[in-house]
Amino acid sequence: MTLSAFIRDHEIRGQVAFPLSEVRDATGLSVKTLATELQRQVSRGRIIIPYRGFYVIVPPQYALKGIVPPTYYIHELMKSVGKPYYICLLSAAAFHGAAHQRAMKTQVMTVAPRIKPSGMNKQLDWNYRQMIPQELLLSRNAEMGIVQYSNAELTAVDLVQFAGHVGGLQRTATVLSELTESLEITKMERVFPYTTTATLQRLGYLLEFVLGEQDKSDIFYEEFKAAYPHPKRVILSNTAPEMKDAPANRWHVACNIEIEIDEI
């Protein structure tokens, strides 16, 4: 079977991607010849390489620009590399309706060891945590197959914990101002095992003093206090110096930066 025939067969079957091992077995081409043929298909805009050894067939609707959105193939890619994942941070927030602060890249959370991305694909922003909380993930239909993404509660925690990955706490707070409508605040304790105490304190502080979500912060505080009765004092931002005269509050968070919510 030729490479062109292999690609065409995949399209007919509705298969959007393939690993190197599969195409090698199907075509029977030598390593050198196959590499040349694959590169020729890339040059023609027939396939793209988002990850070494993983190829995505460019569908007609994306052929003109030659750019395939990661949601088209991310589930198949992560199955191929054998890693759990979820769409995270700003990309997940957009799924929940907080779309005014969109990410330039699709943000994906997975586990170490770190992914070695293809230099030919700049659309994926890889993020890492120790464990992927499968029970806190949602799924939705994509153009082909499904994508997994964090629920609103995990998204909120991630936005605070990984604030440096989204542009800082200012941007985090702006996204949270939209995301709070989707938060099931009585279920926040399910996220506790997957984050730090300091992250929860900072999230509580933002809800109460920056976003003015008093009712939600009260409920959240009761959950937090039951799990962490004696939290240590933390500063709001680790990227700014501590302010010794910061007023005390029940979250034991010392505010050391000024946060203003962007107009939406």
Side-chain angles (χ1 to χ4, degrees), residues 32-239:
K32 184 176 181 180
T33 301
L34 181 56
T36 300
E37 289 297 316
L38 286 168
Q39 189 55 53
R40 184 176 289 116
Q41 296 294 337
V42 171
S43 299
R44 291 174 176 171
R46 194 75 173 88
I47 59 175
I48 62 169
I49 313 174
Y51 181 82
R52 276 182 215 176
F54 184 83
Y55 303 87
V56 175
I57 301 168
V58 179
Q61 64 268 36
Y62 300 118
L64 186 61
K65 290 187 176 181
I67 299 174
V68 182
T71 51
Y72 187 82
Y73 59 80
I74 188 64
H75 196 72
E76 292 301 316
L77 169 58
M78 300 312 288
K79 280 201 303 183
S80 178
V81 300
K83 282 179 172 287
Y85 84 98
Y86 61 89
I87 302 296
C88 65
L89 300 171
L90 297 177
S91 299
F95 285 158
H96 292 288
H100 287 84
Q101 296 282 331
R102 286 185 179 274
M104 296 297 291
K105 300 180 180 182
T106 298
Q107 295 178 298
V108 182
M109 189 74 72
T110 186
V111 296
R114 290 179 174 270
I115 294 284
K116 295 179 181 179
S118 166
M120 301 179 69
N121 188 309
K122 308 292 185 182
Q123 291 184 280
L124 291 168
D125 174 22
W126 297 103
N127 300 268
Y128 301 88
R129 57 161 54 251
Q130 290 184 336
M131 292 178 59
I132 300 297
Q134 294 291 339
E135 70 273 22
L136 302 180
L137 304 186
L138 304 174
S139 65
R140 64 189 294 170
N141 292 329
E143 282 186 86
M144 300 295 291
I146 65 168
V147 292
Q148 294 181 156
Y149 63 104
S150 51
N151 67 12
E153 296 75 48
L154 180 58
T155 301
V157 165
D158 279 350
L159 285 166
V160 176
Q161 183 169 345
F162 301 97
H165 296 225
V166 300
L169 284 172
Q170 176 87 21
R171 196 175 188 190
T172 288
T174 298
V175 177
L176 285 175
S177 69
E178 294 184 274
L179 188 62
T180 49
E181 293 183 10
S182 301
L183 285 180
E184 292 189 61
I185 206 70
T186 58
K187 296 182 179 180
M188 285 300 298
E189 63 181 14
R190 298 187 302 168
V191 189
F192 290 4
Y194 301 104
T195 190
T196 65
T197 309
T199 295
L200 297 173
Q201 290 171 257
R202 291 176 179 126
L203 175 58
Y205 180 91
L206 291 174
L207 285 173
E208 182 168 352
F209 296 104
V210 177
L211 303 179
E213 295 282 352
Q214 192 63 52
D215 291 342
K216 282 185 168 63
S217 67
D218 286 344
I219 296 170
F220 182 36
Y221 181 72
E222 291 304 316
E223 293 177 287
F224 174 78
K225 185 172 66 172
Y228 308 99
H230 305 292
K232 295 181 179 179
R233 184 174 182 271
V234 299
I235 57 176
L236 180 57
S237 173
N238 287 324
T239 63

